[in-house]
Amino acid sequence: MITDNKSVVTLVEENMPQQRTQTIGGLAPSYGRESGTGFPARRLRRLRQNDRFRRLVREHSLSIDDLILPLFVVPGYGIKHEINAIPGNYHLSIDKLIEEAKEIRDVGIPGILLFGVPDPKEKDLLATGAYAPNGIVQEAVRALKKNVPELLVVTDVCLCEYTTHSHCGILQDGYLLNDASKDVLARTALSHVQAGSDMVAPAAMLDGQIRALRQTLDDDGFVNTPIMAYSAKYASKLYDPFFKEGTQSTLSHGDKKTHQMDFSNSNEAMREIAMDIEEGADIVMVKPALYYLDIVYRAKTEFQMPLATYNVSGEYAMIDAAARIGRLDKKLIMMEALTSMKRAGADIIITYFAKEAAKELQ
Ligand SMILES: [Zn+2]
């Protein structure tokens, strides 16, 4: 029989499954229990009694350095149209995009994630507009790197903005072809990098897409361009504001459930992430963020890779809408939501709140 409390704790830990004994913050799971004294010797409220103490013992802090702001570029000149579904975010022509990028740089946000909203005339069944050298993203990247070189320009690589049906690749009898589509994705990524993109973010959730991109970039000499993989991207209705109004690419029919993940699954997300790492991903991502923090936590714990999470348009819209009718305090809920992503293990948070959060953090 074990009588020494410390031995009991050790014994319990030894019998815990591996992943449960690991912590992100570096604290041993036995922290606070080793003395075996408990209340009243131990009063956890002592370190919460004022802000100085709370700051001293804070485990996770959100920083401007963690943030990436998604931006939408459209053809034309002098255009800055607010996107109704994600207020405070805009469709920007390249000249206005440059103005916005300078502001983003000045508040200290390290980078942007760029989405193109091409002229509908540029769309076809093979998404040829996605890799056009003078496409909207390629032109925007060139202008950004020329005018705001200090800002990291990450480009989203998918085909749904460039197909007439708004599916993420080439369809055959209604089914999204994997291998043919991944080759178009690789070609698209290369065109972004040739235009000056600092990092590509393939978003289609096709098998083998990371290997295809890595090989294509390497063959062209871009061995130093990183890939941020949308590794565990779920088929979520939280993207609706983004597709309906952001990129204006609502599906003509069907859904994306044959390539994006079933939201009931978590082990499968680990397999997706493991495959992407094996194929050469430099940063892995979980998308969406808030309903998927268990996946974020598991991803960080199991892989210890640089990890991004995408706080998507629906998550933004929910907080914004609740704040508009006076139910929630937008700034406080924003900070709580973003910090929860950090606490779960995210290193990078892609969010429409980035500018507002950066102002709070300055
Ligand atoms: Zn897509």
Side-chain angles (χ1 to χ4, degrees):
M1 188 178 139
I2 297 159
T3 50
D4 172 21
N5 276 335
K6 203 167 172 181
S7 307
V8 173
V9 170
T10 313
L11 202 72
V12 169
E13 278 172 18
E14 277 170 4
N15 289 322
M16 282 168 88
Q18 187 64 21
Q19 73 186 68
R20 296 196 55 195
T21 59
Q22 291 173 350
T23 60
I24 291 162
L27 298 173
S30 58
Y31 177 76
R33 288 187 270 141
E34 288 201 334
S35 67
T37 48
F39 182 84
R42 188 165 300 285
R43 287 177 184 268
L44 294 176
R45 290 182 59 197
R46 285 182 199 128
L47 295 179
R48 290 180 208 142
Q49 61 184 294
N50 64 44
D51 194 48
R52 276 97 60 204
F53 276 124
R54 290 193 293 270
R55 279 166 51 206
L56 269 181
V57 300
R58 189 155 288 150
E59 296 173 38
H60 302 279
S61 296
L62 187 66
S63 151
I64 297 178
D65 296 339
D66 306 325
L67 303 173
I68 288 184
L69 177 67
L71 287 178
F72 301 88
V73 63
V74 298
Y77 187 81
I79 298 168
K80 184 176 182 179
H81 285 155
E82 191 168 36
I83 302 167
N84 284 330
I86 28 178
N89 292 270
Y90 299 87
H91 283 137
L92 301 160
S93 54
I94 291 176
D95 56 311
K96 294 288 178 186
L97 175 73
I98 300 297
E99 284 176 21
E100 180 75 7
K102 287 180 178 164
E103 252 185 66
I104 293 161
R105 173 198 60 193
D106 295 344
V107 295
I109 295 171
I112 60 164
L113 177 61
L114 191 64
F115 293 90
V117 188
D119 189 312
K121 290 199 296 283
E122 311 280 310
K123 300 185 183 197
D124 58 30
L125 290 172
L126 300 175
T128 56
Y131 52 85
N134 58 349
I136 183 65
V137 167
Q138 292 79 356
E139 295 283 14
V141 169
R142 272 191 285 273
L144 284 165
K145 291 318 294 181
K146 185 172 165 218
N147 293 286
V148 203
E150 312 86 348
L151 192 67
L152 273 182
V153 176
V154 186
T155 48
D156 180 90
V157 179
C158 202
L159 306 179
C160 38
E161 294 96 342
Y162 301 90
T163 52
T164 36
H165 41 60
S166 297
H167 278 280
C168 300
I170 298 161
L171 296 183
Q172 190 174 58
D173 302 326
Y175 185 75
L176 180 65
L177 291 179
N178 191 85
D179 296 7
S181 302
K182 83 174 164 44
D183 293 342
V184 182
L185 283 172
R187 193 168 171 181
T188 302
L190 178 62
S191 76
H192 290 181
V193 175
Q194 284 170 335
S197 172
D198 294 302
M199 177 158 73
V200 284
M205 285 294 284
L206 301 183
D207 292 329
Q209 62 174 11
I210 305 305
R211 190 183 301 283
L213 260 72
R214 187 70 271 159
Q215 219 155 39
T216 303
L217 295 181
D218 287 357
D219 288 349
D220 219 72
F222 294 107
V223 295
N224 288 323
T225 304
I227 296 175
M228 176 166 72
Y230 284 76
S231 302
K233 179 177 178 181
Y234 285 85
S236 170
K237 288 301 278 174
L238 288 166
Y239 311 144
D240 277 2
F242 173 96
F243 286 111
K244 278 183 187 150
E245 296 185 42
T247 56
Q248 298 169 343
S249 52
T250 301
L251 288 176
S252 60
H253 63 281
D255 55 41
K256 298 188 175 180
K257 291 179 183 172
T258 72
H259 48 116
Q260 296 178 355
M261 277 190 53
D262 181 342
F263 59 69
S264 315
N265 296 352
S266 142
N267 291 329
E268 187 190 4
M270 299 305 110
R271 295 202 293 276
E272 284 282 2
I273 293 169
M275 272 180 75
D276 280 1
I277 294 169
E278 198 258 321
E279 291 178 26
D282 301 280
I283 297 172
V284 293
M285 191 199 298
V286 174
K287 180 184 180 184
L290 277 179
Y291 295 169
Y292 298 83
L293 292 181
D294 57 324
I295 310 299
V296 174
Y297 179 78
R298 275 191 73 179
K300 191 59 175 179
T301 309
E302 293 185 26
F303 299 102
Q304 284 109 36
M305 283 284 288
L307 176 65
T309 192
Y310 198 140
N311 175 219
V312 303
S313 58
E315 299 172 42
Y316 178 94
M318 285 193 287
I319 293 175
D320 180 83
R324 273 165 204 273
I325 57 168
R327 293 286 191 275
L328 293 176
D329 180 309
K330 187 176 178 187
K331 276 186 188 152
L332 293 180
I333 297 291
M334 165 186 80
M335 295 308 278
E336 187 173 335
L338 297 176
T339 305
S340 76
M341 295 163 207
K342 186 85 185 169
R343 189 186 65 232
D347 303 296
I348 300 165
I349 300 168
I350 303 162
T351 177
Y352 302 97
F353 286 120
K355 254 172 95 177
E356 236 173 311
K359 283 175 189 157
E360 290 297 300
L361 292 165
Q362 270 174 339

